[in-house]
Amino acid sequence: LRFIIHTQRYEELLWSRIRGLLIAYFDNLSQYPCLVHFQTYREGGLSIGDFSSLNMSYSGGDDPEAVLENRKLVAEGLGVPLENFVFCHQTHSLNVRIVGRQDRGKGVYLDDSDELYGVDAMITNEADTMLCVKTADCIPVICFDPVKRVIAALTAGWELTAGRMAVKTINLMHEEFGTLPSDIIVGIGVGAGVCCYEVNGDVLLKLQESLNRKSDFISCFNKKGSKFFVDLKQINRFQLEDIGVLKRNIEMSECCSICHSTEHFSFRASAGKTGRAAIGIMLKS
């Protein structure tokens, strides 16, 4: 099987004030002027040590003031007020939440008691609401339905990939807003690659069972000696194609966060002591 893989392009934003802040964009989503979207690198922030430097997450022990300043830098670089961002408190659950303007600002501040706890995917059709999820090896996915003007952001580590989180999210977009899978534009961002992401036999079986066409799984794993390595990005892509998302509408980063951990945060490469990148998408008013 052949896959159309697009390499993300990178820009340095606010070069006069935030030199070194790197943000990645998808070519397919960039064709829509009604959208703002991004995925962060490690570079350009204020965090130090294990969290150096553009850590976007309060969890893990980083200085919360540094994290807040990092978020402000990204918001300013994108030209979007930080108060319009929504960060969910991810727990590797299969919970998908529809959010709206009343949720803007949730999860932005460390003391935010109204944050969306236990949510790993968000959907909205309301403008000026930046949906953000955090990753450090898990696969980030953002979606846009240009017909119904609906967006979604989600993460998919192995558990959520096995649970078909991306499919669940798009199914809810269809139920609530009438989204058709064939209309959806998808960006699959930087995350763990098949070169490095090792799993045991039980996980391998669960991931295989998540695909409707078991033959597809052959191209989604490698065996090196007695070790198994899987391609979570490709599995998510197959799952989306299974429900009618067009192959040409899916753009996927080739970059592995584990073997490029100097440029991207990686939980596995750092033995768990690291920061988090953020990926987000917003409809403009």
Side-chain angles (χ1 to χ4, degrees), residues 17-225:
R17 182 174 171 214
I18 317 174
R19 185 166 299 279
L21 175 62
L22 293 178
I23 295 179
Y25 301 92
F26 294 97
D27 286 330
N28 60 354
L29 293 170
S30 295
Q31 308 307 310
Y32 296 90
C34 63
L35 287 182
V36 178
H37 76 283
F38 72 95
Q39 183 175 15
T40 60
Y41 268 46
R42 290 191 70 147
E43 295 182 43
L46 301 179
S47 298
I48 60 175
D50 294 324
F51 305 99
S52 176
S53 66
L54 194 64
N55 175 29
M56 297 291 282
S57 175
Y58 290 117
S59 63
D62 193 9
D63 177 0
E65 292 299 322
V67 175
L68 181 56
E69 289 303 313
N70 292 341
R71 291 181 172 191
K72 288 179 179 178
L73 288 173
V74 172
E76 187 173 357
L78 295 169
V80 177
L82 186 58
E83 291 73 22
N84 288 23
F85 283 59
V86 183
F87 286 89
C88 50
H89 187 119
Q90 300 158 219
T91 57
H92 300 286
S93 70
L94 282 168
N95 294 328
V96 184
R97 179 78 65 88
I98 296 174
V99 303
R101 65 187 64 196
Q102 74 278 3
D103 297 303
R104 294 175 191 162
K106 290 184 178 179
V108 169
Y109 302 99
L110 180 62
D111 59 354
D112 189 348
S113 60
D114 293 327
E115 68 178 351
L116 304 178
Y117 184 84
V119 173
D120 284 77
M122 295 180 288
I123 301 169
T124 192
N125 68 339
E126 295 200 25
D128 302 320
T129 304
M130 178 69 80
L131 308 181
C132 293
V133 292
K134 306 177 293 290
T135 64
D137 291 337
C138 289
I139 308 305
V141 182
I142 51 178
C143 307
F144 172 49
D145 173 2
V147 177
K148 302 295 185 181
R149 286 182 58 89
V150 183
I151 56 173
L154 63 108
T155 60
W158 79 259
E159 294 163 295
L160 298 188
T161 297
R164 294 169 61 86
M165 179 57 134
V167 171
K168 183 174 182 180
T169 301
I170 289 176
N171 284 342
L172 187 57
M173 292 171 70
H174 173 71
E175 292 170 12
E176 296 293 327
F177 302 105
T179 288
L180 298 177
S182 58
D183 291 331
I184 292 179
I185 312 298
V186 177
I188 300 176
V190 176
V194 68
C195 50
C196 300
Y197 195 71
E198 182 183 355
V199 299
N200 61 35
D202 291 339
V203 171
L204 192 72
L205 180 59
K206 291 177 181 177
L207 291 169
Q208 181 179 3
E209 291 173 345
S210 74
L211 292 172
N212 290 334
R213 297 186 300 270
K214 303 310 179 188
S215 59
D216 289 345
F217 193 67
I218 295 173
S219 64
C220 293
F221 83 96
N222 285 333
K223 190 173 186 291
K224 303 175 185 177

